[in-house]
Amino acid sequence: MTEIYFLIVAFLLVLAVFDLFVGVSNDAVNFLNSAIGAKVAKFRTVLFVASIGILIGAVMSAGMMDVARHGIMRPESYSFSEVMTIFLAVMVTDVVILDVFNTLGLPTSTTVSLVFELLGGTFILAMLKMHADPSLTIYDLLNSDKALSVIIAIFVSVAIAFFFGVIVQWISRIIFTFNYKKHLRYTIAIFGGIAFTSLAYFIFITGIGKSPYISEAARTWIEDNTTMLMGVFFIGSTILMELLHLLRVNVFKLIVLAGTFALAMAFAGNDLVNFIGVPLAGLDSMQDFLANGNGNFDTFMMTSLMSSAKSPLLYLVLAGIIMIVAMTTSKKAQNVVKTSVDLSRQDEGDEMFGSSRAARSIVRFTQDMNAAVVKIIPQRMRTWIDSRFNKEEAILAEGAAFDEVRAAVNLVLAAMLIIFGTNYKLPLSTTYVTFMVAMGSSLADRAWSRESAVFRVTGVISVIGGWFITAGVAFATCAIVCAMMHFGGIVVMVAFMLLDIYLLWRSNRQFAKKQKEEKKDDVFQLMMRTRDKEIVWDLLSKHVSRTQSFVTRFALEQFNRIIDGISNENRKELRHCGNDIKDEQGKLKKFRRKELLAMRRIPSDIALERNTWFHLGANSNQQFMYCLKRMLEPVKEHVDNNFNPLPQEYIDNFESTRRKINELMNHTEQMISTNKYDMYDDTLSIADECKDELSTMRKRIIDIMYRDNDNTNLKASLLYLNILQESQEFLSIMRHQLRAAKKFLGDSRQ
């Protein structure tokens, strides 16, 4: 039996490594999004600064490990086997939940996951123990007061971070404006002094000052002289910032990099418990049991977990190194960072989220409130405020999502807010704080225009909703898993270990496939990064050409699949065809929005001239999908219901027309992809002849149906008529698309 628990502890430690990779993939957004979004330095430089912060924070994090040991449960009331069951259930649940959110690109909270998983597992075992022993109460088994304070602090931080993000960024923008380099003579020194003083307090007072690795005398001296130290830091940093500014050093870059370091350190110091706290508590439990348990798995109580954690320095350093490797290599980390940056970027772009009813209502209400407030403010003041928010003067680095002012505010404000939570030893969600500060500052910066507000609000609602879902799912899932392990014993525990390994393997395969698909649309990323309108027009032409040529190939492929499906009565192939058409419709909708955004960035005379042909081409792409669906649905129903097959005579008669349609579509695709329309007139002429042939075929079939008056093959004949009708429409759409492509991509005057 002891060997089984050795296996469980070993599995917990292995999962700790996985959890570090998965958790960092999720939480890298906390400290990377501002520096990456503002392009303050090369990506490697940002990672290096963050890596140093992570390593130092990991070493200083020992004090937070107590949350996993006795922050939620009262371990003196649980036996060794019960504690190990809770720990295993927590880790099995945690890795899968976080990996799902990372794969979706949503920044969720590792703190919420850990707290609610511990709460769910402990709660269900507490209920079972109370049922078995009525003398026990919930207060004997659950540290309810501490758990409640942690939960309240986590969720209240959402509103607080967003509110202060709006206020502080609005004031900062009023002071600096978007053309901030013209307003730095005196303000940058004070701003820099406040920023570096806050970060210094964060780094030295709450970080190094509370470290278990400094002497008690030094810690006491720091606590007694905090006010004096902060005064010295403020005066010294203010003078230093002014001198650096006079020497033409970019102070904002220094603030952003220092903030990245501080938040990375806070992340490791505050959140490392979320990843390795439970496995290390399990290891300590095993060591205590081996020393004192005498083989009594079900009766030896884990009172030793009531003491503070004494995590070996080696473990903490190894954890820090693993976190650095995960941050620098994880594609999922980059995916989550992309979500946060996209939702807070200054300009419009490819919106990751659609529109929702709740978002539309919020935006409409906010606009009405804004209109009412604007009426109260005097016109001269409104004009002055608008002049401070002139986005046309924005100074953005090439490819940046927002400027250095907002990046600095995001980092400094998030650090200051996290200070308060850390001072009270609450495992505050750094994800919640940093994300909501970024959303509040982007709102204050008027980054959410009427064109994009509903999509951004939908995104924020989706992310926040994901956090609440995380809490509920973590609690319920861990409770269920823990109960199953409690009743099923070792067999169920091993089964869940194997299930966890399989789910992680499958998730990584699916994510790799998704990343491969996203890399295909590299042209749009180039369009959004460049400011040269002529280059945007050239890239847009390539994007439209690539989209239309692909749609032509795709439509022809599905057309042939439908004809083959009805000829061979292949239900599986028809079902796959329907799924592919549905997926392509969704992709075309996204492509159209991307191309519309690019149309606004090309020279205005070209946009006006080619606008009609752009929309005709985009409509033709969608019309191909509608036509194929109209053809597919009756065919699929016919085959699914095992109706009489199409007579071979119908199939043979259609074959020559089918070959012509294939030739026409191939010619069309070749002309669009090469932008050479030498076969344009011939293709249109042959398409008209083919449509006439289809009309003749339809009339012949109708005449036969009237003449024979035989209902035996009525359904098959009606289905064949539908195929002929939609084939005609298919050719009409091809003609429209070819004409639109020639006018948009070629010479619109031809």
Side-chain angles (χ1 to χ4, degrees), residues 446-726:
R446 302 185 180 182
W448 300 5
S449 66
R450 292 185 69 132
E451 296 290 332
S452 61
V454 68
F455 304 111
R456 305 284 178 91
V457 174
T458 299
V460 173
I461 292 173
S462 299
V463 173
I464 294 176
W467 294 340
F468 284 94
I469 290 172
T470 301
V473 170
F475 180 90
T477 305
C478 192
I480 294 171
V481 171
C482 191
M484 293 175 68
M485 288 181 178
H486 177 74
F487 289 111
I490 299 300
V491 174
V492 175
M493 290 181 180
V494 173
F496 270 110
M497 293 181 199
L498 297 175
L499 177 64
D500 216 34
I501 294 171
Y502 167 73
L503 290 176
L504 285 173
W505 171 78
R506 189 184 69 171
S507 173
N508 283 315
R509 285 193 62 189
Q510 291 175 342
F511 182 77
K513 182 179 179 181
K514 180 181 176 182
Q515 287 293 103
K516 187 177 180 180
E517 288 294 322
E518 290 180 351
K519 287 182 179 178
K520 295 179 180 178
D521 199 18
D522 54 344
V523 175
F524 176 74
Q525 303 302 327
L526 290 173
M527 284 191 291
M528 292 295 103
R529 285 200 295 265
T530 183
R531 290 177 174 269
D532 190 316
K533 292 187 176 183
E534 294 294 339
I535 295 178
V536 174
W537 163 239
D538 183 56
L539 292 171
L540 175 61
S541 301
K542 292 179 181 178
H543 196 280
V544 171
S545 173
R546 191 170 69 175
T547 301
Q548 292 188 351
S549 62
F550 174 80
V551 169
T552 305
R553 292 194 304 272
F554 177 84
L556 179 59
E557 179 185 342
Q558 305 313 312
F559 176 84
N560 287 321
R561 289 175 76 181
I562 294 171
I563 301 303
D564 290 338
I566 185 62
S567 301
N568 304 324
E569 297 187 273
N570 190 333
R571 290 189 297 272
K572 183 179 179 180
E573 185 68 14
L574 292 172
R575 185 169 62 252
H576 289 323
C577 179
N579 293 335
D580 290 344
I581 292 172
K582 183 178 179 181
D583 291 342
E584 186 62 24
Q585 276 187 300
K587 292 177 183 177
L588 287 176
K589 186 177 180 181
K590 292 181 180 179
F591 285 165
R592 182 167 190 163
R593 171 165 175 76
K594 292 178 179 180
E595 291 165 356
L596 272 173
L597 291 171
M599 283 285 288
R600 300 171 187 171
R601 299 166 63 93
I602 67 176
S604 57
D605 57 331
I606 297 178
L608 290 171
E609 186 181 0
R610 311 290 171 108
N611 182 64
T612 299
W613 308 116
F614 165 77
H615 287 289
L616 179 60
N619 290 340
S620 297
N621 291 338
Q622 286 288 359
Q623 287 301 321
F624 268 130
M625 302 303 113
Y626 293 133
C627 178
L628 290 168
K629 288 182 71 174
R630 291 194 302 268
M631 186 184 296
L632 173 66
E633 289 303 324
V635 167
K636 187 170 176 292
E637 181 183 3
H638 192 94
V639 174
D640 281 341
N641 290 321
N642 297 308
F643 293 151
N644 290 333
L646 285 184
Q648 189 62 40
E649 178 187 0
Y650 290 176
I651 297 173
D652 294 340
N653 289 341
F654 187 73
E655 189 59 33
S656 62
T657 305
R658 178 183 176 182
R659 284 197 298 270
K660 289 182 181 179
I661 293 175
N662 274 262
E663 290 176 4
L664 289 168
M665 291 291 286
N666 286 326
H667 290 159
T668 298
E669 191 277 330
Q670 184 179 6
M671 283 186 278
I672 294 174
S673 61
T674 61
N675 201 23
K676 296 179 180 179
Y677 298 93
D678 49 332
M679 301 174 60
Y680 177 75
D681 292 332
D682 290 340
T683 301
L684 294 185
S685 177
I686 296 172
D688 286 337
E689 293 176 5
C690 191
K691 288 176 65 178
D692 292 339
E693 288 181 14
L694 288 166
S695 294
T696 302
M697 293 169 67
R698 289 181 66 245
K699 186 175 184 305
R700 187 185 306 125
I701 295 298
I702 293 173
D703 290 342
I704 292 174
M705 292 173 66
Y706 274 119
R707 184 190 64 203
D708 295 345
N709 197 24
D710 183 9
N711 291 330
T712 305
N713 286 323
L714 178 62
K715 287 185 173 62
S717 298
L718 291 174
L719 179 64
Y720 185 56
L721 286 174
N722 179 71
I723 292 173
L724 297 177
Q725 173 65 36
E726 294 303 333

Side-chain angles (χ1 to χ4, degrees), residues 122-415:
T122 305
F123 178 80
I124 195 68
L125 278 193
M127 293 296 101
L128 294 173
K129 289 176 71 68
M130 288 167 60
H131 178 74
D133 184 359
S135 65
L136 292 173
T137 66
I138 193 67
Y139 300 104
D140 297 325
L141 302 167
L142 192 66
N143 194 352
S144 55
D145 292 338
K146 179 67 173 179
L148 184 61
S149 65
V150 168
I151 293 168
I152 291 175
I154 288 172
F155 289 110
V156 168
S157 66
V158 174
I160 293 175
F162 185 79
F163 174 78
F164 280 102
V166 172
I167 299 300
V168 175
Q169 180 59 33
W170 191 86
I171 295 172
S172 299
R173 190 60 71 190
I174 286 289
I175 295 171
F176 292 108
T177 76
F178 280 99
N179 191 8
Y180 59 89
K181 291 186 178 180
K182 287 186 177 181
H183 303 84
L184 299 180
R185 186 170 182 181
Y186 302 112
T187 53
I188 188 60
I190 298 174
F191 182 85
I194 295 173
F196 272 95
T197 302
S198 302
L199 295 176
Y201 182 85
F202 189 44
I203 294 170
F204 295 107
I205 307 303
T206 66
I208 298 175
K210 295 184 181 298
S211 169
Y213 300 106
I214 69 170
S215 65
E216 187 63 33
R219 185 183 299 109
T220 302
W221 186 87
I222 291 174
E223 291 176 355
D224 293 341
N225 297 277
T226 299
T227 304
M228 182 269 292
L229 288 173
M230 290 301 97
V232 171
F233 267 120
F234 177 72
I235 295 172
S237 58
T238 300
I239 295 172
L240 179 61
M241 293 304 105
E242 183 63 26
L243 290 174
L244 290 174
H245 174 64
L246 294 175
L247 293 173
R248 300 186 181 279
V249 175
N250 190 330
V251 173
F252 280 116
K253 285 190 176 183
L254 294 178
I255 294 173
V256 172
L257 291 176
T260 301
F261 170 83
L263 274 185
M265 193 183 84
F267 155 71
N270 191 70
D271 288 10
L272 188 60
V273 61
N274 303 336
F275 312 134
I276 67 171
V278 168
L280 289 183
L283 179 61
D284 287 347
S285 301
M286 187 69 187
Q287 292 172 341
D288 180 42
F289 174 76
L290 291 176
N292 307 301
N294 297 320
N296 300 317
F297 300 98
D298 299 323
T299 57
F300 180 70
M301 311 308 283
M302 297 308 303
T303 306
S304 62
L305 292 181
M306 289 299 296
S307 61
S308 295
K310 295 179 176 60
S311 304
L313 179 61
L314 177 62
Y315 292 170
L316 299 177
V317 172
L318 287 175
I321 293 173
I322 293 172
M323 293 164 78
I324 292 171
V325 173
M327 178 184 66
T328 54
T329 60
S330 173
K331 297 295 183 183
K332 293 184 179 181
Q334 298 172 20
N335 193 38
V336 178
V337 170
K338 180 178 181 294
T339 300
S340 184
V341 170
D342 282 350
L343 286 174
S344 59
R345 68 180 178 272
Q346 190 65 46
D347 298 324
E348 293 180 10
D350 176 30
E351 302 295 342
M352 296 181 62
F353 299 88
S355 172
S356 65
R357 180 177 296 180
R360 291 193 294 270
S361 299
I362 292 172
V363 170
R364 196 174 299 114
F365 173 77
T366 304
Q367 288 173 349
D368 293 340
M369 289 290 294
N370 181 66
V373 172
V374 165
K375 291 179 181 179
I376 302 173
I377 301 175
Q379 179 62 43
R380 290 184 63 183
M381 183 176 290
R382 292 207 306 266
T383 303
W384 180 79
I385 292 174
D386 289 340
S387 70
R388 312 299 285 184
F389 283 86
N390 183 7
K391 291 191 287 186
E392 296 299 321
E393 298 179 347
I395 301 174
L396 293 175
E398 185 67 27
F402 42 81
D403 66 6
E404 295 168 354
V405 175
R406 197 188 331 157
V409 169
N410 286 347
L411 289 165
V412 174
L413 182 58

